[in-house]
Amino acid sequence: MKGLVVYDGPSMFDKKPILGILTFKSSNAKTGNMAQLWILRKDIEPHLAVKFGNDQSVCGGCKHRHYSGGACYVLPFQGPLSVYRSYKRGIYPTATEVTLSILKAYKVRLGAYGDPAMLPPNILKAIDEQSRGTTGYSHQWKLKRLSGSMDFCQGSVDSLEEAATFKSMYPGRKYFRVTDDISDIQSDEVQCPADTHGTTCAECMMCDGKTQNIVIEVHGAKKSRFTSTISVKEVM
């Protein structure tokens, strides 16, 4: 079995049809071999969703959306498109309580593409409970109606000001901060071990929303856009 459809229903952001698809094999060198959760529009291919702004159904109001000219490093015409076309070919069955138990052998990355907050919290809870552990990030923490994902994800923040706001809203929860100047690291943060030690996410697993505030220097093909987009107002 190559994957499972774990969600087929409305986006928690705009009620448009989306999918949550788990795939079980990954060649991603940074994450390691974790199961991957892909959050996709059901009715349009990912690269076209980006072109027409329909990606807000899976990315919410994230300022780094491709449609907004942001710094997102995921290329929708690569992995997301491949998963979507595999779904259209009928490769992924719908998950059941029995088939979801396959996750007992896996650690899971919540959000290889898309924001986990787009899915109902009970879906994230089922994945978390069945698996060997989860990592994830959500830019939707400012929206209390989508805050259920904070039980399973780091809050994604893009400045020290956002980090302070996050801590005031979610005492005890942890965030993942991207910066263009790693020298601004704070006493309650650690630099991502992938940068400092070449550690994979599967080995680290600190980005579970509960363990540690993490900071990382901006990376990816769109990193030059980071500074210009962090001040963009997010869609609410």
Side-chain angles (χ1 to χ4, degrees), residues 46-117:
H47 62 302
L48 296 178
V50 165
K51 181 177 180 180
F52 298 113
N54 302 120
D55 57 336
Q56 73 171 11
S57 304
V58 299
C59 297
C62 179
K63 64 177 75 77
H64 298 299
R65 288 167 57 206
H66 289 287
Y67 179 75
S68 303
C72 181
Y73 61 88
V74 183
L75 301 177
F77 58 84
Q78 293 185 346
L81 180 59
S82 176
V83 172
Y84 182 83
R85 289 183 173 173
S86 294
Y87 161 77
K88 295 296 282 188
R89 292 198 303 272
I91 287 177
Y92 308 125
T94 299
T96 66
E97 186 175 344
V98 172
T99 57
L100 196 61
S101 66
I102 192 175
L103 288 179
K104 295 185 185 302
Y106 291 92
K107 297 175 181 178
V108 181
R109 179 189 183 195
L110 299 174
Y113 181 65
D115 193 301

Side-chain angles (χ1 to χ4, degrees), residues 26 28 36 68 87 92 97 132 142 216 220:
S26 173
N28 187 310
Q36 310 276 328
S68 303
Y87 161 77
Y92 308 125
E97 186 175 344
R132 294 173 55 205
K142 294 178 184 178
I216 193 170

Side-chain angles (χ1 to χ4, degrees), residues 35-46:
Q36 310 276 328
L37 176 64
W38 306 81
I39 303 161
L40 308 166
R41 275 290 290 252
K42 182 179 180 178
D43 55 344
I44 184 171
E45 292 189 330

Side-chain angles (χ1 to χ4, degrees), residues 10-25:
S11 164
M12 297 296 100
F13 187 80
D14 64 5
K15 306 305 180 185
K16 298 296 173 56
I18 65 170
L19 299 164
I21 297 174
L22 277 172
T23 57
F24 298 126
K25 186 175 182 180

Side-chain angles (χ1 to χ4, degrees), residues 136-138 153-156 174-176 206-209 212 214:
Y137 316 91
S138 176
C153 298
Q154 304 280 104
S156 287
K174 306 303 180 182
Y175 62 77
F176 186 89
M206 284 197 294
C207 287
D208 60 358
Q212 176 67 57
I214 307 291

